[in-house]
Amino acid sequence: MTLLITGSAGFIGANFVLDWFANHDEPAISLDKLTYAGNLQNLASLEGNPHHTFVHGDIGDTALVNRLLAEYRPRAVINFAAESHVDRSIRGPEDFIQTNIVGTFHLLESVRGYWGTLGAAEKSGFRFLHISTDEVYGSLAPTASAFTEQHPYQPNSPYSASKAASDHLVRAYHHTYGLPVLTTNCSNNYGPFHFPEKLIPLVIRNALAGEMLPIYGDGQQIRDWLYVRDHCSAIRRVLEAGQVGETYNVGGWNEKSNLDVVSRICDTLDQEAPRSDGRSYREQIRFVKDRPGHDRRYAIDATRLERELGWKPAETFESGIAKTVRWYLDNQDWVENVASGAYREWLNKQYT
Ligand code: NAD
Ligand code: TYD
């Protein structure tokens, strides 16, 4: 019994691997290309764990993936590997097409070949679990009901379009070849190891560095936030009991406007790490140019996962954000390590 976990050095993948070993001792092979978003420091606490093997490589490298599948014979593949940042997809979509679409296609082909060699029992027990996003459903009107699994796909950014394409490929490999797939579509995550190009970690970092807290447009866009460890418990549950060929929406019923999220972070920091001049971090908020094609609202209806698989998130937004702010305050060296030259270059391009 072994898992192959791709994208395991990124934000959610790393949290998942850590969560996995906190709950199981089943071995896991980690495969990650270590792009700017991948960081082996995220997995440092697993050093010396004989059940964990890290492999540096690309999901699109067929020879490598075939070798790993043949050697380790996993009972499941969990695919987190992706380019994940909407703003980067707007500035340069090509990597998104390459990894999210072409890479997922190559991975599916390798897995299909391997799955075809398994005996009957292993074959029916095998799972390919694809990690996706609520952004594939597009943008909701202010009073529209939250996205269910039946909501049509209407992706609006190169990122969400590339994720939608990968979801369709995964679906097609089930319908055409019978590959036992599962897909999860989760809302915005937050928590430890979140790369500081995304809203929540960027705001915490900038606040502490005395820099501006950039809010796109009017800040009234709504996202539905889930603490990353709750996403991990949902994935474990879907892997364990999800119905093959089905998709599961994952979310914690936590819709917040961006302005509310940023204000909440400022208030938490005002308590936990007050500015030396005694003023509020809210004074650092600046409204900046909006993101092109900015989706106004996402909201996930997680009823199916709750009802059919009995999953519930453990954190509220308030408890999760308090833990997250604490983690960033305690791990400022992690932030400094990821804030490389390339990261600074990105900030200059995006915010000046
Ligand atoms: P991330 O950008 O932090 O991490 C992605 C990881 O994938 C990195 O470690 C990177 O090195 C690796 N990677 C990229 N291209 C690769 C390739 N070709 N081969 C192997 N590894 C590669 O992203 P994340 O936030 O951890 O997201 C993980 C998955 O969850 C993605 O599929 C994303 O679409 C999905 N998702 C993210 C969120 C969110 O809020 N972050 C919400 C829902 C779903
Ligand atoms: P982000 O964390 O990039 O996630 P996503 O675009 O996948 O939802 O952004 C979350 C929200 O915050 C989104 O509406 C864009 C907004 N945002 C800002 O207002 N300012 C920023 O500097 C960033 C990075 C995002």
Side-chain angles (χ1 to χ4, degrees):
M1 302 278 272
T2 298
L3 302 180
L4 174 62
I5 302 171
T6 73
S8 50
F11 164 46
I12 306 175
N15 274 286
F16 181 81
V17 174
L18 297 176
D19 179 77
W20 182 258
F21 286 114
N23 289 282
H24 298 262
D25 54 14
E26 181 179 349
I29 314 302
S30 280
L31 173 67
D32 198 293
K33 188 177 174 181
L34 299 179
T35 66
Y36 79 93
N39 181 355
L40 274 182
Q41 210 187 338
N42 300 352
L43 299 172
S45 63
L46 293 177
E47 253 168 53
N49 182 331
H51 298 302
H52 181 242
T53 306
F54 180 81
V55 179
H56 180 200
D58 192 318
I59 54 166
D61 181 344
T62 303
L64 171 67
V65 175
N66 287 350
R67 182 173 66 68
L68 294 177
L69 292 169
E71 187 176 336
Y72 293 102
R73 307 190 64 73
R75 66 158 176 115
V77 173
I78 308 180
N79 184 31
F80 291 94
E83 290 293 337
S84 69
H85 187 34
V86 174
D87 293 321
R88 285 187 193 253
S89 83
I90 294 169
R91 286 189 177 269
E94 190 155 353
D95 287 347
F96 291 73
I97 307 305
Q98 205 50 46
T99 283
N100 300 0
I101 306 179
V102 181
T104 303
F105 159 69
H106 285 301
L107 180 64
L108 281 165
E109 275 293 273
S110 295
V111 170
R112 179 166 79 91
Y114 161 70
W115 178 71
T117 68
L118 299 177
E122 286 174 303
K123 215 171 168 178
S124 68
F126 182 83
R127 296 289 181 269
F128 181 91
L129 172 45
H130 182 61
I131 307 303
S132 193
T133 164
D134 60 357
E135 304 194 23
V136 297
Y137 297 124
S139 188
L140 282 171
T143 56
S145 312
F147 302 127
T148 65
E149 288 80 0
Q150 280 70 46
H151 198 281
Y153 272 34
Q154 292 172 331
N156 290 321
S157 71
Y159 163 65
S160 54
S162 66
K163 289 297 292 184
S166 68
D167 293 7
H168 291 322
L169 283 170
V170 170
R171 176 189 160 89
Y173 271 64
H174 174 64
H175 283 267
T176 306
Y177 305 113
L179 190 69
V181 307
L182 296 156
T183 299
T184 53
N185 293 89
C186 189
S187 58
N188 284 61
N189 285 211
Y190 65 100
F193 305 118
H194 205 182
F195 195 82
E197 65 186 354
K198 306 277 172 67
L199 179 70
I200 288 180
L202 179 106
V203 162
I204 299 172
R205 177 199 171 273
N206 282 15
L208 296 172
E211 292 169 18
M212 68 147 175
L213 313 181
I215 300 215
Y216 298 162
D218 62 4
Q220 294 308 317
Q221 303 82 5
I222 290 177
R223 296 293 181 265
D224 188 353
W225 294 95
L226 184 69
Y227 189 66
V228 62
R229 283 292 180 115
D230 283 327
H231 188 189
C232 296
S233 71
I235 295 168
R236 279 194 280 112
R237 187 67 192 133
V238 171
L239 179 66
E240 183 176 59
Q243 209 181 318
V244 164
E246 295 299 332
T247 69
Y248 294 88
N249 282 354
V250 187
W253 309 95
N254 275 314
E255 284 185 63
K256 306 272 174 214
S257 74
N258 292 338
L259 189 55
D260 283 349
V261 167
V262 174
S263 303
R264 174 95 204 181
I265 294 169
C266 290
D267 296 349
T268 309
L269 284 171
D270 286 342
Q271 295 293 318
E272 299 287 322
R275 274 173 41 159
S276 55
D277 62 4
R279 304 174 84 104
S280 171
Y281 287 101
R282 285 185 185 225
E283 293 189 10
Q284 289 166 233
I285 291 176
R286 298 287 178 274
F287 290 89
V288 302
K289 194 161 128 298
D290 207 352
R291 169 187 283 174
H294 199 169
D295 283 339
R296 199 69 187 163
R297 176 175 167 237
Y298 304 140
I300 276 281
D301 181 335
T303 305
R304 175 178 209 186
L305 181 59
E306 293 170 356
R307 200 184 47 223
E308 293 181 17
L309 302 186
W311 172 85
K312 280 248 176 303
E315 304 292 343
T316 61
F317 184 71
E318 289 64 33
S319 66
I321 209 75
K323 280 188 178 180
T324 303
V325 168
R326 188 74 256 155
W327 188 87
Y328 279 89
L329 287 171
D330 292 344
N331 290 276
Q332 291 188 43
D333 56 332
W334 180 90
V335 178
E336 282 323 303
N337 282 350
V338 298
S340 65
Y343 173 73
R344 284 175 217 286
E345 216 176 279
W346 164 256
L347 292 185
N348 285 339
K349 253 199 278 180
Q350 182 68 3
Y351 296 103
T352 53

